[in-house]
Amino acid sequence: MSTSRIKNIAIFASGTGTNAANIIQYFKQKKTAKVVLIVYNNQFAGVLKIAETNSIHSLIIQKEKFLKGDAYIPELKNAGVDFIVLAGFLWKIPALIINEYRDKIINIHPALLPKFGGKGMYGNFVHEAVLSAKEKESGITIHFVDEFYDNGKTIFQTTCPVYENDTTETLAKRVHELEYKYFPKVIEELIEKKQ
Ligand code: GRF
């Protein structure tokens, strides 16, 4: 039986934060890990309200310090962060953080990488590209984060159909359902494996 302590997750998110809310909720009932910090870079991010509602510390970050300074490593260490989960975070993760948290940073992408990834491919831009390419299926990719956009090793993928009459909204909704269903479980499994 493992006697390891409960692990601390930081979620980096700068959008509406529906995945963040889902992950926070999931880990409330778990003994493996809990969400201790929300990191965001946009003062209007919906995720801030989610942090407040759940009484989780939040940290707004500035680009200069994040990309060219100490990358907020002291703040992450002070919060006891063990794992970093990106859920709608658009800045590239600096090498300082990658090196400190190697194989402990994961991202979710709303399509089947390596297709439809890279800089600028986020949110509805991804779904528009999938629809324009007349793909028959899309899905989610959960992967490790390295120095490059959407490039780290894939941990998990699952698919959903794309229908001829789909809009970006209908496709986004189907993909979001997969995210809610699988992302917390994949995070949990990864943390258990690293114990
Ligand atoms: C998700 O679709 C995720 O795949 C992507 O950013 C989106 C975040 O959505 N990386 P939300 O803010 O969690 O609703």
Side-chain angles (χ1 to χ4, degrees), residues 12-23 46-47 50 86-90 107-111 121-124 126-127 139-141 150 172 175-176 179-180 183:
F12 286 28
S14 284
T16 40
T18 60
N19 275 284
N22 184 49
I23 296 163
V47 76
I50 289 163
L86 312 185
F89 186 78
L90 303 183
N107 180 45
I108 189 161
H109 186 77
M121 286 302 263
Y122 62 89
N124 277 345
V126 176
H127 304 306
I140 59 171
T141 305
D150 298 327
V175 169
H176 256 123
E179 296 185 334
Y180 303 147
F183 201 15

Side-chain angles (χ1 to χ4, degrees), residues 110 121-131 167-169 171-172:
M121 286 302 263
Y122 62 89
N124 277 345
F125 294 118
V126 176
H127 304 306
E128 267 163 26
V130 169
L131 293 176
T167 61
T168 51
E169 286 73 25
L171 179 56

Side-chain angles (χ1 to χ4, degrees), residues 72-85:
Y72 294 86
I73 301 271
E75 286 84 347
L76 296 173
K77 291 285 157 193
N78 277 344
V81 171
D82 301 298
F83 285 86
I84 297 175
V85 171

Side-chain angles (χ1 to χ4, degrees), residues 40 132 134 152 169:
Y40 64 109
S132 307
K134 302 206 179 309
E169 286 73 25

Side-chain angles (χ1 to χ4, degrees), residues 12 59 61-62 64-76 93-97:
F12 286 28
L59 172 69
I61 57 172
Q62 311 297 335
E64 186 74 15
K65 179 169 154 76
F66 187 65
L67 297 178
K68 298 191 180 139
D70 66 10
Y72 294 86
I73 301 271
E75 286 84 347
L76 296 173
I93 302 300
L96 281 180
I97 297 189

